[in-house]
Amino acid sequence: MSNSSNWSRRTQAVHAGTRRSQYGEVSEAIFLTQGFVYDTAEDAEQRFIQIEGDEFIYARYGNPTLAMFEDRMAALEGAEAGFACASGMAAVNGALMSLVKAGDHIVSSRALFGSCLYILEDILARFGVEITLVDGRDLDAWKAAIRSDTRMVFLESVSNPVLEVIDLKAVADMAHAVGAMVVVDNVFATPTYSYAIEAGADLVVYSTTKHVDGQGRCLGGIILGKRDIVRGPVEAYLKHTGGAMSPFNAWVMLKSLDTMDLRIDAQCDTAEVLANGLADHPKLNKVVYPGHPSHPQYALAKRQCKRGGTVLAIEVKGGKEEAFKFLNALEIFTISNNFADSKSIVTHPATTTHQRLKPEHRAELGISDGIVRISCGLEDAGDLLADLQSALDTVA
Ligand SMILES: *Cc1c(COP(=O)(O)O)cnc(C)c1O
């Protein structure tokens, strides 16, 4: 394994964490193996007493392909360690379940991915963890909710689908003042433009299904942070409860890191072109993009994020009927509930990803029937803008 700590990011993305087998392969090998053999019974006994350095015993605990992926992600994030999980939700579940117990108090932003909200409100609440949900944009609300016995603060740094931005450093400072841990679901900020650890996150969680794979193939997730937390309670919980990523998926993700920053940069460029191109469109009530001056938190976004991200939202005038007309008229964009793919995707959150929310909760989160989420892929930005404009021509 190489010492990558003084390499620049582009070099780390290609080389960090590489483990070569005795064959000296150029491209990282996939170790599609459940178990590992020992030369002697004494070696087996010893490894079960203490796993040293680059040793493995079972793929649910760890695997060389996963270790390469974890070390490369940790290097890119500026984290000490990582644990790769079967999906983004396995990672969120692992981060939350391994670190809290009955009687603990969690403060979380309300604008969360639906499954994250389920873990907090349904699962953790069932085990006697107290949850307080706040409007993540409102620092006074965080201040009022965080108590001397708060154990954890959880938030999505940029929310889905309406791209609200949280002042992470301010919230992390409040949490740390009472000794609470800060866990950040950082998908929308992207791993390329992450500021989470710098701003004070103790753990950063990604659904690597999104920008890391970035090509719509494999599910995955990762928990990144301080070594004593990741290799301590997080790893113990995940290796015993079966949350590990498959070595095949880890290999796909690892190879995808070679190009992740290039892809995300191109997708951010496209998001800017689309946000600028649609900004004053007469068929839209608004365009929401953290990198555009019209975003209500543009100043914060500019200070905190290096770029505005790969996703924007628009509000089509005329509600669901006109939004559906628009979606159905698109030719390059595909209708799907996923995002951060090399193929551009549109989503109508009110009737799909956020359908199960009560109408008043949707309204609270700004998810009207006219909102369409646009995930920018790797196609030509001019073609994509033309596709959106001609589909908007069909709207009344
Ligand atoms: C997609 C997503 C998840 C869940 O990830 P999966 O890989 O689908 O399990 C969690 N949080 C955010 C913000 C997401 O976008």
Side-chain angles (χ1 to χ4, degrees), residues 215-280:
Q215 290 147 91
R217 301 162 300 190
C218 293
L219 289 181
I222 195 161
I223 302 170
L224 298 159
K226 299 204 175 74
R227 190 178 317 278
D228 59 338
I229 308 175
V230 173
R231 295 269 89 92
V234 166
E235 179 175 301
Y237 176 82
L238 282 160
K239 74 185 187 187
H240 292 301
T241 56
M245 182 182 274
S246 116
F248 178 80
N249 287 11
W251 177 78
V252 171
M253 305 275 177
L254 182 66
K255 300 302 295 178
S256 299
L257 289 179
D258 285 357
T259 57
M260 179 180 72
D261 286 1
L262 306 178
R263 288 184 280 107
I264 289 178
D265 244 346
Q267 288 165 306
C268 289
D269 289 345
T270 295
E272 283 171 13
V273 170
L274 301 187
N276 288 331
L278 298 175
D280 301 311

Side-chain angles (χ1 to χ4, degrees), residues 373-394:
R373 185 182 72 191
I374 299 175
S375 166
C376 301
L378 291 174
E379 305 93 335
D380 180 79
D383 290 348
L384 293 173
L385 182 58
D387 193 27
L388 294 169
Q389 282 166 335
S390 62
L392 282 171
D393 287 343
T394 68

